[in-house]
């Protein structure tokens, strides 16, 4: 409880200082960005870093004059990763500060605020989510996804499998997912795409998120003998348990994950058993040599010298800030006011955008940037290394 009060206090102080600094500028020269962040609660392992990445990029943009003649002000509050609290926080920030851009902590928040976002608030909305629904401009015209949706990520992995089969016959794939919206989201698309690519889906295994005993599931994999198995809807558990149990059964299956199960922590948890683990990431990792990542590291060396490494969730937050700035600049270049409606339209105008290698060249279609790259774990180095170029989903 003390820790939460301290975080909330710091949040209030940070926002107050930012607004005080902006007070010296004319109102038209200030662009407010609000955020409902999961700094505490069960998603805090990523939320803290996402918040830091977004905040750092906004500071970086201000320091480097990336939005000429304008001051970006970041206002955020902790939601505890609770949808009801997040909705209340969203409305509070909108009522008090009236930002033109908002960031949300979850798919749940995006869906909950959609009716009022579309009819009342009309601000550009990004979030932690890679939900396929939030990328549907017909339902969520003010929302965008900071990368490929979960369906797109499956598509990238399936395309890689189709081009890199293990044997002469059709590749055999298993889908292993949680019984949650997060887990189920891409599965209908994945079935369809696998069929189009000539891949046999030999089994679908569904578990609780926190499943501990996975013997039954491992036996099901042993029975179907998949060449590849793709996890979805988990962050860590039960992935290590499944891989270890299957290895004990002698299977040579290659295991893969989507974004949230591609953090370095999975290599640390699995140890030697992580060798060969693969997956898709929409972004380069903090230790890669891309120019955009080098700029990120250089900023951190100055602003956060104690931070020697940053997880992929930090890069998601940083990249979302990049998208905000790109959209703002497109609106300003068109000599239009920076409003939610104009920012929404600007997202669709982003074409072949060079991010300096933070991700591939970005074109937003249907409010998403459908590009990612396949990585493989290198246990000796303790990192993920790219095994494909950037793959674009049509």
């Amino acid at each position: 409880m003390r820790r939460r009060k301290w975080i909330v206090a710091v949040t209030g102080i940070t926002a107050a200082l930012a607004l005080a600094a902006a007070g010296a500028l004319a109102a038209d020269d200030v662009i407010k960005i609000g955020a409902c962040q999961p700094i505490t609660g069960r998603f805090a392992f990523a939320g803290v870093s996402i918040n830091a990445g977004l905040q750092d990029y906004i500071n970086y943009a201000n320091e480097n004059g990336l939005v000429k003649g304008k001051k970006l002000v970041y206002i955020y509050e902790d939601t505890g990763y609770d949808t009801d609290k997040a909705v209340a926080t969203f409305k509070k920030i909108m009522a008090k500060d009236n930002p033109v851009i908002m960031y949300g902590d979850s798919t749940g928040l995006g869906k909950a605020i959609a009716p009022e976002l579309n009819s009342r608030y009309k601000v550009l909305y990004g979030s932690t989510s890679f939900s396929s629904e939030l990328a549907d401009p017909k339902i969520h015209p003010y929302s965008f996804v900071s990368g490929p949706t979960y369906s797109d990520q499956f598509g990238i992995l399936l395309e890689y499998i189709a081009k890199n089969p293990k044997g002469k016959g059709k590749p055999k794939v298993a889908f292993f997912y949680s019984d949650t919206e997060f887990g189920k989201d891409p599965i209908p698309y994945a079935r369809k795409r696998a069929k189009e690519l000539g891949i046999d889906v030999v089994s679908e295994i569904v578990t609780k998120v926190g499943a501990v005993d996975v013997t039954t599931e491992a036996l099901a994999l042993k029975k179907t003998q998949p060449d590849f198995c793709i996890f979805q809807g988990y962050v860590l558990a039960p992935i290590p348990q499944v891989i270890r149990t299957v290895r004990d059964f002698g299977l040579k299956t290659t295991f893969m994950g989507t974004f949230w199960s591609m953090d370095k922590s999975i290599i640390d948890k699995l140890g030697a058993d992580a060798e060969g683990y693969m997956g898709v990431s929409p972004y380069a990792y903090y230790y890669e040599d891309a120019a955009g990542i080098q700029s990120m590291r250089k900023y951190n060396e100055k602003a956060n010298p104690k931070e020697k490494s940053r997880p992929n969730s930090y890069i998601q937050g940083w990249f979302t800030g990049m998208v905000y700035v790109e959209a703002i600049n497109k609106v300003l270049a068109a000599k239009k006011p920076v409003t939610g409606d104009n920012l929404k339209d600007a997202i669709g105008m982003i074409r072949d955008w060079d991010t300096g290698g933070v991700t591939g060249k970005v074109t937003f279609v249907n409010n998403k940037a459908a590009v990612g790259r396949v990585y493989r774990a290198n246990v000796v180095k303790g990192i993920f290394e790219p095994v494909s170029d950037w793959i674009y989903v049509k």
Side-chain angles (χ1 to χ4, degrees), residues 160-172 225-229 247 251-256 276 278 376:
Y160 178 85
I161 289 168
K163 292 180 179 178
N164 298 274
K166 286 190 171 183
K168 293 183 178 180
K170 286 185 176 182
K172 297 188 297 180
Q225 298 280 318
D227 300 315
F228 300 87
C229 176
R247 293 285 179 258
L251 267 70
K252 303 298 183 183
T253 300
T254 295
F255 289 94
M256 296 176 148
M278 302 176 71
R376 179 186 289 119

Side-chain angles (χ1 to χ4, degrees), residues 104-325:
D105 68 353
S106 64
T107 302
L109 174 60
K111 291 183 177 182
I113 63 171
E116 287 188 278
L117 183 63
N118 297 343
S119 63
R120 177 184 176 187
Y121 295 114
K122 297 185 177 181
V123 297
L124 182 64
Y125 178 81
S127 73
T128 63
S129 178
F130 295 100
S131 164
S132 302
E133 182 178 320
L134 292 186
D136 185 344
K138 294 179 182 178
I139 304 172
H140 301 275
Y142 291 89
S143 300
F144 73 91
V145 173
S146 297
T149 64
Y150 295 122
S151 292
D152 294 330
Q153 292 176 44
F154 258 72
I156 289 166
L157 291 175
L158 290 170
E159 184 174 326
Y160 178 85
I161 289 168
K163 292 180 179 178
N164 298 274
K166 286 190 171 183
K168 293 183 178 180
K170 286 185 176 182
K172 297 188 297 180
V173 177
F175 298 155
F176 198 116
Y177 54 98
S178 64
D179 61 348
T180 62
E181 186 175 16
F182 173 25
K184 298 172 185 176
D185 180 292
I187 301 305
Y189 170 82
R191 293 177 189 134
K192 175 177 174 289
R193 186 60 180 145
K195 186 176 181 180
E196 291 171 350
L197 291 168
I199 296 171
D200 282 341
V201 180
V202 294
S203 61
E204 291 187 23
I205 298 170
V206 187
T207 73
K208 299 289 185 183
V209 174
V212 177
D213 185 356
V214 293
T215 305
T216 301
E217 290 78 8
L219 286 169
L221 289 175
K222 182 180 180 181
K223 181 178 180 181
T224 55
Q225 298 280 318
D227 300 315
F228 300 87
C229 176
I230 304 175
F231 292 109
Q232 171 65 22
Y234 311 102
V235 175
L236 194 58
I239 293 174
Q241 295 93 320
V242 172
I243 292 176
R244 289 198 176 105
T245 305
V246 165
R247 293 285 179 258
D248 288 343
F249 289 159
L251 267 70
K252 303 298 183 183
T253 300
T254 295
F255 289 94
M256 296 176 148
T258 53
F259 178 73
W260 292 114
S261 54
M262 283 297 289
D263 188 75
K264 182 181 178 298
S265 60
I266 200 161
I267 298 177
D268 298 337
K269 183 71 174 179
L270 276 166
D273 289 323
E275 194 64 55
Y277 181 82
M278 302 176 71
V280 59
S281 176
Y283 323 111
Y285 285 87
Y286 193 71
Y287 43 78
E288 294 192 62
D289 291 330
I293 299 293
Q294 290 175 357
S295 296
M296 185 190 303
R297 288 201 302 266
K298 187 175 180 180
Y299 173 83
N300 274 273
E301 287 169 6
K302 180 187 69 174
N304 308 298
K306 292 184 179 179
E307 300 292 343
K308 304 304 179 185
S309 182
R310 290 292 196 178
N312 53 3
S313 48
Y314 175 91
I315 297 172
Q316 185 196 29
W318 181 281
F319 175 70
T320 302
M322 292 176 66
V323 176
Y324 288 157
V325 167

